[in-house]
Amino acid sequence: MDGATPRVYYTIDTVQRFHREHPDDHFYFIVGADQFLELPTWKNYGTLLDSCDFIIASRPGFQLDALRLVIPPEKLGRAEEPDAQKIALHKSTIHLLTTVSSHVSSTEIRDRLEKQKTVHGLVPERVEEYIQGQALYR
């Protein structure tokens, strides 16, 4: 390494780049419910909420109302019939994906890997091989 500090790319940077490169496309951001609940800690999360629809992978028993708690009130507001699977925002929509059957979250996987614990049986074998081969999360 040449001593230069690596550039940090935030989600909002990536989404804005995609919008510049593909201005006519509609974008969806897929994220686990556990990570969506951390959204207020993300860089420019209000702008991110306006920039793309979110597909939230939930866990069994997760309630859509929990997602509303992290959405700024000024982002809510499109008057539509209440829907158990989505939250309408002024410029985007939050969709709840309820078909996720795994109780394992990406956060748990990352935490285990950072602590140099095995993820065998928690992810598909090919994913585990890729993580190990690329030394991800270390």
Side-chain angles (χ1 to χ4, degrees):
M1 193 172 236
D2 63 5
T5 304
R7 175 165 173 172
V8 175
Y9 290 94
Y10 295 95
T11 301
I12 187 63
D13 300 328
T14 303
V15 170
Q16 288 176 334
R17 178 179 172 192
F18 285 146
H19 276 293
R20 283 191 306 273
E21 293 175 359
H22 307 279
D24 297 328
D25 291 343
H26 188 88
F27 296 97
Y28 295 85
F29 188 84
I30 301 173
V31 64
D34 57 332
Q35 287 300 303
F36 188 83
L37 294 175
E38 297 294 323
L39 197 68
T41 66
W42 294 20
K43 181 181 178 186
N44 299 337
Y45 81 99
T47 303
L48 184 60
L49 282 169
D50 291 340
S51 300
C52 58
D53 282 8
F54 280 78
I55 299 174
I56 310 300
S58 70
R59 300 285 178 255
F62 185 83
Q63 298 296 316
L64 185 67
D65 287 339
L67 302 177
R68 292 180 196 280
L69 298 175
V70 299
I71 299 170
E74 65 273 11
K75 299 291 180 191
L76 296 168
R78 282 199 331 229
E80 292 182 8
E81 295 248 346
D83 186 326
Q85 304 302 316
K86 69 180 179 179
I87 300 171
L89 305 179
H90 286 293
K91 297 183 179 181
S92 62
T93 304
I94 309 296
H95 305 271
L96 186 63
L97 180 63
T98 59
T99 56
V100 178
S101 60
S102 174
H103 290 279
V104 178
S105 71
S106 60
T107 301
E108 179 182 353
I109 299 296
R110 283 190 305 277
D111 287 347
R112 291 184 65 82
L113 291 167
E114 287 170 357
K115 295 174 183 170
Q116 298 184 356
K117 292 183 177 180
T118 183
V119 293
H120 185 73
L122 300 177
V123 297
E125 186 177 330
R126 303 262 328 220
V127 172
E128 182 179 8
E129 290 170 3
Y130 182 81
I131 290 171
Q132 290 172 349
Q134 299 295 315
L136 300 178
Y137 309 108
R138 306 221 181 211

